[in-house]
Amino acid sequence: MYFSIIVPVFQTPSILKIFLESLSNTIKFETQIIFINDGSGNIVGELLHEFALLHNNICDIKIIEHQYSLGCSKSINEALTNVSTTCEAVVFMDSDLILTSQWQARLMDDFKANPKVGIIGCVLRYPQTGGIQCCGITFQDKVGRHLYLNSKLQNIQIDEFQYVQCTIFAFCAIRYNAIKKIGFLDEDFFNGYEDWDYQMRIKKIGYSAMIDTRISHYHWEKSNGAHRNFNRKGNVARFWSIH
């Protein structure tokens, strides 16, 4: 089993249904999927269990239930303790993506062809406009900026592979060997900057990060965690005190 997918779910049922349909349409290999219902309620839990019943022929699916939201870091860390020992790459996803085809095959080829790459992201686009939401992160003057923000993909000249400082966990694949070396996410971050911190730690042990621009998904950016804006200043301060 090459892939283990981790999806923290703090989401409305309508958006989750769109994500689950796209996930169903794009899974092409035997895959482990770990959902964490992070306080989204019973209806969301029912949708996840329905998905599991429909896909148990090709997917090993585990559903973790939280009565109330524990946040992204704690949810992902709990999921990491359940990752299959045969996994080669862990893919972190938000539950408001619309996934497009061939992402699994391309990630698999990318990791095999680039042994020093530990982190692979994609181009994320706004479904409302098609404009780029994220094509990697660059840090300038202690501010993380989304590359090519709001640009149209067809209007810019970029290579198939872009090496970046980091990307975001909305869609991010990481070698499982790197994860085993650095351990868990820092739970002192709450729904923000834990993904950047984690990637910085992976880069410190010698891996690089890149964007495969052939992989392009749509991202609603809706309801991915409680109190994200409220905790932003504290998360930013912690990130820069460390890095």
Side-chain angles (χ1 to χ4, degrees):
M1 186 179 297
Y2 195 89
F3 292 105
S4 180
I5 299 172
I6 293 178
V7 188
V9 182
F10 184 85
Q11 196 53 265
T12 59
S14 58
I15 295 295
L16 180 63
K17 286 180 182 178
I18 297 171
F19 165 71
L20 292 176
E21 181 178 359
S22 72
L23 182 60
S24 175
N25 292 336
T26 59
I27 292 291
K28 302 302 180 184
F29 302 102
E30 183 182 2
T31 302
Q32 180 187 37
I33 305 175
I34 305 171
F35 294 111
I36 311 97
N37 181 6
D38 191 37
S40 295
N42 293 333
I43 296 176
V44 162
E46 290 171 4
L47 289 173
L48 296 177
H49 283 282
E50 288 174 9
F51 182 91
L53 288 173
L54 290 172
H55 297 84
N56 59 13
N57 60 324
I58 190 172
C59 296
D60 173 16
I61 300 176
K62 181 176 180 59
I63 300 169
I64 299 168
E65 300 275 2
H66 294 165
Q67 292 300 311
Y68 56 90
S69 179
L70 300 181
C72 188
S73 295
K74 289 184 177 180
S75 295
I76 288 176
N77 284 344
E78 187 175 358
L80 286 173
T81 65
N82 291 275
V83 169
S84 169
T85 57
T86 62
C87 168
E88 296 288 337
V90 176
V91 187
F92 302 97
M93 294 184 185
D94 278 358
S95 59
D96 59 348
L97 289 170
I98 304 174
L99 300 164
T100 59
S101 64
Q102 301 299 317
W103 65 266
Q104 280 190 309
R106 285 173 176 157
L107 282 179
M108 189 181 295
D109 290 344
D110 290 345
F111 278 124
K112 290 179 178 178
N114 301 278
K116 293 185 178 180
V117 171
I119 303 160
I120 301 176
C122 72
V123 179
L124 293 173
R125 292 189 284 170
Y126 293 107
Q128 301 93 331
T129 65
I132 293 174
Q133 180 189 107
C134 185
C135 188
I137 299 295
T138 184
F139 295 106
Q140 298 176 353
D141 300 323
K142 292 192 174 183
V143 176
R145 302 186 185 279
H146 293 259
L147 291 166
Y148 306 109
L149 182 64
N150 291 319
S151 300
K152 297 290 186 180
L153 188 58
Q154 64 270 24
N155 294 339
I156 57 176
Q157 296 293 321
I158 51 176
D159 295 331
E160 288 184 351
F161 304 110
Q162 297 279 311
Y163 285 87
V164 294
Q165 289 178 285
C166 68
T167 185
I168 58 176
F169 269 16
F171 183 91
C172 178
I174 298 179
R175 286 186 191 275
Y176 190 40
N177 280 339
I179 289 173
K180 287 188 287 188
K181 288 178 181 177
I182 66 165
F184 295 114
L185 277 69
D186 184 343
E187 294 183 0
D188 286 334
F189 290 97
F190 188 82
N191 290 345
Y193 294 81
E194 64 279 310
D195 51 351
W196 293 1
D197 170 72
Y198 199 64
Q199 292 173 75
M200 291 297 184
R201 288 161 55 196
I202 289 173
K203 293 179 72 176
K204 285 179 181 178
I205 62 173
Y207 288 106
S208 57
M210 78 175 190
I211 302 295
D212 184 338
T213 61
R214 301 169 303 167
I215 306 173
S216 178
H217 303 311
Y218 294 98
H219 186 215
W220 288 101
E221 206 172 27
K222 289 180 179 289
S223 302
N224 288 314
H227 315 305
R228 191 176 187 90
N229 291 331
F230 180 80
N231 290 281
R232 184 178 182 277
K233 289 184 178 180
N235 287 326
V236 170
R238 178 166 180 77
F239 180 81
W240 285 115
S241 70
I242 297 170
H243 302 287

